[in-house]
Amino acid sequence: AAVIIVVSFGLMMTSEAVRDRITQFIVSLFPGYAEVGLDNIEELQTSEKTIYELSYIPDGYRLVSGEHELGQQLRYYKSEEEYFMFNVNLKTAVSQLNTENATKVENIMVNGEQGLLIVEDGYAQIAWSNEQYLFHIGGTLTAEEILKIANGVTMTRNYPKVMPDE
């Protein structure tokens, strides 16, 4: 019976649809940090580069730097002390997020996808995946504001415009 189960499972895993459903966002908690990434990344199909933008940006924040080579790294500032960053990494990325001084580490949902919220004094961050890319937003905003930004992430083909320093 065990052989039949193992062989059946092996045959099911050859189905691309089954593998895609098994591919998911993974979270590993370690002392002092959380590691987030995609499980079964070798099974994912490559796709053309997609750019993501934020449909919600809190009042007073402006994009001051952006890179688009190996993913997206966008930095928004209101002042030296008030900022947040939005990162989109390719499907093979794994991020390590500091949890050492966290007051809250919680599994959450972002746009229907599993994510991880980490809150520490004066800093909140969220990481999640859409099975193609790994997203991370972190900054000196509240957890509610970071989640609102995360739920406003949309796909586009346009690069966000960086605002010059005033």
Side-chain angles (χ1 to χ4, degrees):
V3 171
I4 292 172
I5 292 171
V6 169
V7 169
S8 297
F9 183 74
L11 290 173
M12 284 186 347
M13 290 309 296
T14 61
S15 166
E16 187 173 328
V18 172
R19 284 193 310 261
D20 287 345
R21 289 179 188 206
I22 291 174
T23 301
Q24 53 186 279
F25 181 72
I26 58 169
V27 175
S28 301
L29 296 176
F30 300 97
Y33 72 98
E35 190 171 88
V36 295
L38 292 175
D39 194 13
N40 285 344
I41 58 174
E42 68 278 357
E43 301 293 340
L44 294 173
Q45 301 295 313
T46 57
S47 63
E48 91 178 59
K49 183 167 174 139
T50 301
I51 303 298
Y52 288 88
E53 65 183 359
L54 305 178
S55 62
Y56 170 74
I57 298 170
D59 288 339
Y61 286 83
R62 62 190 178 96
L63 178 63
V64 296
S65 70
E67 298 176 22
H68 307 282
E69 290 302 315
L70 299 174
Q72 287 178 250
Q73 296 179 336
L74 306 177
R75 297 177 190 275
Y76 292 82
Y77 283 88
K78 185 174 185 177
S79 70
E80 286 288 320
E81 297 81 30
E82 298 175 289
Y83 64 90
F84 71 92
M85 294 166 280
F86 172 55
N87 296 305
V88 181
N89 294 308
L90 301 176
K91 64 186 179 185
T92 57
V94 173
S95 294
Q96 291 184 350
L97 308 174
N98 185 0
T99 60
E100 188 171 11
N101 298 315
T103 56
K104 178 192 258 186
V105 177
E106 179 182 336
N107 289 318
I108 57 163
M109 297 300 288
V110 179
N111 292 323
E113 302 289 347
Q114 179 186 353
L116 182 68
L117 169 68
I118 301 170
V119 178
E120 53 188 285
D121 189 32
Y123 193 86
Q125 55 187 323
I126 292 177
W128 77 100
S129 166
N130 70 356
E131 294 186 3
Q132 289 288 327
Y133 294 94
L134 179 63
F135 301 89
H136 176 254
I137 299 175
T140 58
L141 297 167
T142 65
E144 293 77 19
E145 281 287 288
I146 293 284
L147 184 57
K148 191 171 180 181
I149 294 167
N151 281 314
V153 170
T154 57
M155 184 173 43
T156 183
R157 296 279 182 229
N158 302 316
Y159 291 101
K161 185 175 181 178
V162 175
M163 300 299 291
D165 289 332
E166 298 178 297

